[in-house]
Amino acid sequence: MFFRDFSYYFIGNVISKAVAFILVPIYVSSMSTSEFGIVGSMQVLINVLAIFLSLGAEKSIFRLYHDYKTEDEKKVFLSTVSWFIYIFSFLMVCVMVLLHSWIEKIYTSIPFSPYYLYAIGTAFFMEFEVAPRIFLQVTTQSKKYLFLSLLQMMFSATAILYFTVYKHLEAVGMLRGMFVAQACMLPFYISIHLKNFNVRPSLKLIVPILKYCLPFLPSVIASWVITMSSQIFIERNFSTSEVAIYALTLKIVGVITIFASALMTAYKPAFYKLANSTEQDSAKQQLYILQNNIVNLLIVSSGLIAFFSKDLISLFFSSEYNEAVFLTPLVIVGITLSKISGYTNLAFYQEKKTVEIMWIMIVASVVSIGMNYVVIPRYSVYGAAFSYLVATSIFFVLKYVVSKSYYCIPFEWFKMFQMVIIMAFLCSLNIFVLPVGVVPLLIKLFCCGLILLLIRGKLLPKNILEV
């Protein structure tokens, strides 16, 4: 069951995001670094708005959905979450448009119209997909999830290529393409709502939903601060050209997020099913095996992306982005720590101790902002990468220590450490010693493929398929 669902989630995420990643050199070549920096800045805004506009209410579905026993109760719960998101996000968009003179101060060099308008509109339309997508996950409708992912990829690639490359609209074109693609998906998400939970919402459910999800909001915003706020500091102290370099790094690192998200998407239903079962000794043993196999797979995948990042940047992007060669591995370490720490989150969620995560995230975000303020003006994008690495390290350690008091599934530290050392050595070897070119890249791909084939049993043991 796990492997089947993971396959669909992984294929959907990887194909859609891989196509988007393959098209990045085309988008980037069609605009200047300053224009691509504007796109990167607006994508940061879209990410934080997507969180804020829903107050994180959709996250309650993963845990609270299992508290309702009948189908009617579940439908009312899903309807309540959905309508809360729709109404609240609409009201917040109206407020932001009215206060546009304040909103555009986030990035001092970027005007509100049309850039912020497209970003806000895209974030608003994204709110219509969160509840339906999570519904498909918790009900293990992985084939429909795959279909929607591929469909969204098609709309996004077509619209962005049309406005950016064909119409030559640069940053405006890319943002307009994102807006149009998200709008095209609306009928499909509304259809899921109408077919599966089109019942009258219950106002009395708002309180437990908000009680569960509101502690997530500071946590998620803090996570955004740790991951993305550095681009605001870079833009304010330098220019959108430097933002473009950091944004390209995040695009490459985003491949890890795709893979990690597919793993977590498949793991969550298995975790909650086992964590709420009666046979806890057996459940924890299964989760221990499954979690650590996933984590080791994630470390190796991140290491391979770091290994090939030099070749990707050197072969497919102009020399203006060369700084990303050394920047990318630093950010990859931070993002991998962040994704691994996501598994400790479940220890808190299972016990409904979301407030503890909130405080840990706030501590880490304060450290991140403080370091961004100090190091980015002096070290630019490298300061941003170092700040992110320190913040995620603090976040990782604090969460794991505190989670031991709850439903904690421990890590295999020694095996994780072995994997990290091997991948760090290979990455350093490629950056500082091995040549760049099409032929060297093919040789590296062949060698890595051969090594993975030989050790596939250790990376994906048979017991990962048994849950």
Side-chain angles (χ1 to χ4, degrees), residues 272-404:
Y272 286 122
K273 180 180 179 180
L274 289 169
N276 290 286
S277 66
T278 55
E279 297 294 331
Q280 281 301 294
D281 290 338
S282 173
K284 287 189 175 181
Q285 179 62 24
Q286 290 183 71
L287 289 173
Y288 175 79
I289 294 170
L290 182 57
Q291 174 185 279
N292 283 289
N293 286 335
I294 290 172
V295 167
N296 290 327
L297 190 61
L298 183 58
I299 291 172
V300 173
S301 302
S302 299
L304 289 174
I305 294 167
F307 179 81
F308 287 108
S309 61
K310 173 187 174 182
D311 301 86
L312 292 173
I313 294 166
S314 301
L315 290 174
F316 298 106
F317 298 93
S318 68
S319 58
E320 295 174 298
Y321 295 95
N322 281 347
E323 281 187 278
V325 169
F326 302 98
L327 191 66
T328 302
L330 292 175
V331 180
I332 283 176
V333 175
I335 197 70
T336 304
L337 274 176
S338 175
K339 297 306 176 185
I340 293 174
S341 73
Y343 291 90
T344 63
N345 287 353
L346 299 176
F348 297 92
Y349 299 161
Q350 174 62 19
E351 304 294 336
K352 300 181 181 179
K353 300 294 184 180
T354 53
V355 174
E356 283 81 351
I357 291 185
M358 177 188 75
W359 287 114
I360 293 171
M361 290 295 298
I362 289 173
V363 169
S365 64
V366 169
V367 171
S368 179
I369 292 175
M371 291 194 65
N372 283 342
Y373 183 78
V374 173
V375 301
I376 288 179
R378 296 182 64 182
Y379 302 106
S380 185
V381 290
Y382 294 103
F386 180 72
S387 171
Y388 176 60
L389 179 57
V390 171
T392 51
S393 299
I394 292 172
F395 177 47
F396 179 84
V397 172
L398 285 177
K399 273 208 304 183
Y400 186 76
V401 170
V402 178
S403 71
K404 292 174 76 69

Side-chain angles (χ1 to χ4, degrees), residues 18-58:
V19 169
F21 183 76
I22 291 170
L23 294 176
V24 167
I26 300 175
Y27 304 151
V28 172
S29 63
S30 67
M31 62 184 82
S32 65
T33 52
S34 60
E35 286 285 303
F36 186 61
I38 292 174
V39 172
S41 301
M42 289 297 102
Q43 286 179 322
V44 170
L45 182 63
I46 290 170
N47 289 336
V48 73
L49 286 178
I51 298 164
F52 178 71
L53 291 180
S54 69
L55 290 182
E58 71 280 359

